[in-house]
Amino acid sequence: MADPKRKVIIDQIIDQNKDLPGNTMVVLNELQSQIGFISEPMQHYVATRFHIPVSVIHGVVTFYSFFTTTPRGRHTVKFCLGTACYVGGIPQLIEKAKQLLSIEPGQTTPDGAITIELCRCVGACSQAPVLMVDDEIIGHVRPNKLPQIFKPLQEEAKETA
Ligand code: FES
């Protein structure tokens, strides 16, 4: 692994949790929380330390949307793909977001301000179509409202850059 500081953190996490039941899941959760992502080299390293195929680690990381393989942006905007939101216009919102930010779902803007993701029903179907900006649900969103939602998030990133 290229970053020696990161390797120390990963070794600590593995050593602290290696004897627990479900240890690989615990370790991956800790890596995501403490480092913010689980890159391919990190997945290889964890697999080597646990003497298991990297495909097992990779399978877990790609199955759960909580895990990411690259750093997330300062803010995460999730687009609900549940039925009510889908019918209510989420596909158009996703297209507009892709245009406005020049990124695809799962990617982060180059300024590190916003990551866009897709998610399952968040339980606010009566407000469809729904976005989640970090932990806040925003309902009845129309494509022309997206610039107003993104702008403060991008401005904040500029101010703290
Ligand atoms: S379908 Fe989107 S909140 Fe339920």
Side-chain angles (χ1 to χ4, degrees), residues 80 82-85 121-125 130:
C80 174
T83 307
C85 289
C121 175
V122 296
C125 312
V130 165

Side-chain angles (χ1 to χ4, degrees), residues 69-88:
T69 55
T70 53
R72 273 200 171 97
R74 201 177 297 260
H75 299 283
T76 304
V77 178
K78 293 183 184 167
F79 294 78
C80 174
L81 277 188
T83 307
C85 289
Y86 197 87
V87 173

Side-chain angles (χ1 to χ4, degrees), residues 106-158:
Q107 295 181 335
T108 301
T109 51
D111 60 1
I114 301 173
T115 298
I116 58 172
E117 292 181 349
L118 309 178
C119 67
R120 297 187 186 158
C121 175
V122 296
C125 312
S126 63
Q127 299 175 53
V130 165
L131 302 184
M132 281 200 72
V133 177
D134 300 322
D135 293 329
E136 186 189 353
I137 290 177
I138 303 183
H140 305 298
V141 181
R142 294 288 159 237
N144 64 0
K145 294 282 180 225
L146 281 181
Q148 285 163 251
I149 293 172
F150 292 152
K151 198 168 173 210
L153 310 179
Q154 293 176 302
E155 292 293 326
E156 184 199 300
K158 269 190 220 152

